[in-house]
Structures are given as structure tokens and as C-alpha cells.
Amino acid sequence: METTAATPPRSLSTEAVHAGREDLADLGLHAPPLDLSTTYPSRDSRAEAARIDAFAATGAQPDGPPVYSRLDNPTTARFETALARLEGTESAVAFASGMAALTACLLVRSSMGLRHVVAVRPLYGCSDHLLTAGLLGSEVSWVDPDGIAEAIRPDTGLVMVESPANPTLAEVDLGAVARACGEVPLLADNTFATPVLQRPAEHGARIVLHSATKYLGGHGDVLGGVVACDEEFARKLRQVRFATGGVLHPLAGYLLLRGLATLPVRVRAASATAALLAERLAGDPRVTRVHYPKLGGAMVAFEIEGDPHEVIAGVRLITPAVSLGSVDSLIQHPASISHRIVDADDRRSSGVSDRLLRMSVGLEDVEDLWQDLDAALGAPLSARPAPARGADAPVPDPAVR
Ligand SMILES: *Cc1c(COP(=O)(O)O)cnc(C)c1O
């Protein structure tokens, strides 16, 4: 499935529909085959022993017929080939979820005695939790981007950032951050931007993480994670994946490869709608602050003067649900859901206000979305009738300050 030296570089849109599928016509196939085998019969156990030895020694993707699907699956391998091509990395390694992918990255480094992580908030709530709770025996130093270089120690294994970050859409200068990391690998979570808008490896990130559950899958029906990186790191990730078992199901691999084909059109269309909504929200008296990345994208976050719980209860077209990146629009309240597990003070000090709502803009018509948001936002507080004796006053939730 390698492109030959004579193949001219192709654009992202072309790679999205062809990468990982180059051999299909020669196989007489159009759709990629879905291989659900857990095991692979072989009468040549000497050859299998040699493949297992080679994998144990190097972590290279085994040649020849697969042995067992925790080690190797051809459908998942197509998705990995395609994602690596889109991110501009040598390799990619897929996992059962974004969190399984992050876990494997941390284990690779801590197994080398490098258990310290330098990270910039905000991160996705569960990533923050995994680091803060030290569940994998790691220790984290939370810093601002300009404090990275100073926070690095001899046992620092990773520097981790998200840009745009979940849920505030805060951006960091990936190139500057990568330079501050020196020899320490920079792990950039690129879930929000996708390779359509940003390819962190081009800016010096050695490890590019995705919750494939989001834009890569794109239809809210597949959980997965993937790490795009150089082959040296990929080999270590494959060995950890084999030993710990967080593999992507082949049906998920099939759906993710299918999702990649429409990734560029989905991201561009949803981003155009999101930019329009961000503009309208910014001019709305019920909205106190809008967060929309300079990079663009299909995520919009906004703080409101009213009660965010009412907006979640009030939407009718937009799906009130955590997660993002689907063809339909989703809205959620980070302080209640995606970032609930982060300590409230840490959450607030990293810019995740209790009045913040995070919306993942889908492929609906912009006017229909605006109508739904407009209705869910309700009347401006100033235009609401004064409540009799204060009994029914629109008192904000006590948890919301
Ligand atoms: C959802 C998410 C994750 C975790 O991914 P799962 O697939 O849910 O395990 C990690 N990072 C970001 C930015 C996310 O949005």
C-alpha cells in the first residue's frame, strides 16, 4: 500500500478517499474487505513463531498472514495507513478509544522510566483526570505554554497539549511549544482540528493523538482512538497494544476508514456553519463571550448570562449530548459533563466557566440551527418579567457561579 517514488504528492481530499485502499482494484474489490477473524489458521507454526519473535523484538507490523487479532488486523491496518497519510506521519497505531490511545502513549514512556508529564490545561476532562489522578503511575506538572521548558525534568517523558483545546478552544503555538520541548516528545491532541485544518507533525509534534470517535468516524456510531507518529514510536505502541489489549475492533476500523473518505468535506462544511453561528452569538445580548478558534473549525463555545441548564433542556433540533464531530449538531455543558471529573477549581482556573456551553456544529442548515439556539437561549434577562415576590425568579443553579 506504499506510494511509489514516482507518485506525485496528492492533496488531502484525494488521500482521504484513496489512502489505505490502493490495492483494492488489483484485488478485484471496490469496498475494503472487513475481516472479523480473531485468529488465523496456519499449518506453518515455524513461520508463525518467527513472526511472533520479530514482533516481540521490534514491534514492526508483522509481514505475512496475521496470527491473532490482538496483534494485527488487516482492516484496522488500512485505517492506520490512511490516517498516517493524512497526518503526514510515517505510521499510525489504532486503539479501542481515545483514552486507550493516550494510555498507551503514557505506558510507552513510563516503561522507559520517564514517568513525568508536563501538560497545559485545559485538556479533555478524562485526559486531565488520567494525569491528575496518576492512575498509570505518572506524575503531572500543569504549566502555561511559556512555562514548558522550565518544567522539563530528566524524567519527563512527554509534553501534552490540545489545540484547539477541549472545551474552551484555546490555541497554542504548536511550533513554539515543540521548540520548548527540546528532546522530549510533544504529544498534540488533534481531535478538534483534524488533519484537515492542522497537521501537528508539520509543527514538530512527535505524537499526534485523536479520539477517532469524534470527527474521524464522524457519524456518532464508532468509538476509537489513534496515534499518528514516527515508526520508532509506533513500534513501541504496537507492543504495548499487544500486551495490554486496547485494540480497535475491526468493524470500528472499517467505519473509521469509511469516515476518513468524507472527513475533508464534512469538516469544511461544518466549519463554515460554525463560523457563521460564532458571529451571530458574538452579536447577541444573551451571550457574554464567544470562543471560536483563529484556526477555524466546527466547534463553538460560548458563555451566557442565563442558566446553561435551560439551554440544554431547551434545544429541539440540536442533540443535547456530550461528544462531538458527528454529522448532527450536539451541545453540552462542560462543567456538568465533559469536564465534570476535573476538580471545580482547576476547571474554573483553566477557563472552563460554569456558564460555558460547548457546541459541535454538524451539517444542518445554518438558519435551522440558529432558530433552535435562539429559542433555547430564551428571552434576554433584561426582557424577562420581574417575578412576583421573587418566588419564581430565574435563580441560577447554586452550582453555577
Ligand atoms: C473525546 C476526547 C478524548 C477521549 O476519546 P475517547 O474516544 O472518548 O476515549 C480525548 N481527547 C479529546 C480532545 C476528546 O475530545
Side-chain angles (χ1 to χ4, degrees), residues 96-100 124 127 162 166 189 191-192 209-214 223-225 324 358:
S97 67
M99 292 316 300
Y124 170 62
S127 304
E162 273 179 30
N166 187 350
D189 186 326
T191 300
F192 274 35
L209 182 92
H210 281 274
S211 169
T213 313
K214 315 294 169 53
L223 196 69
L324 57 124
R358 189 197 75 187

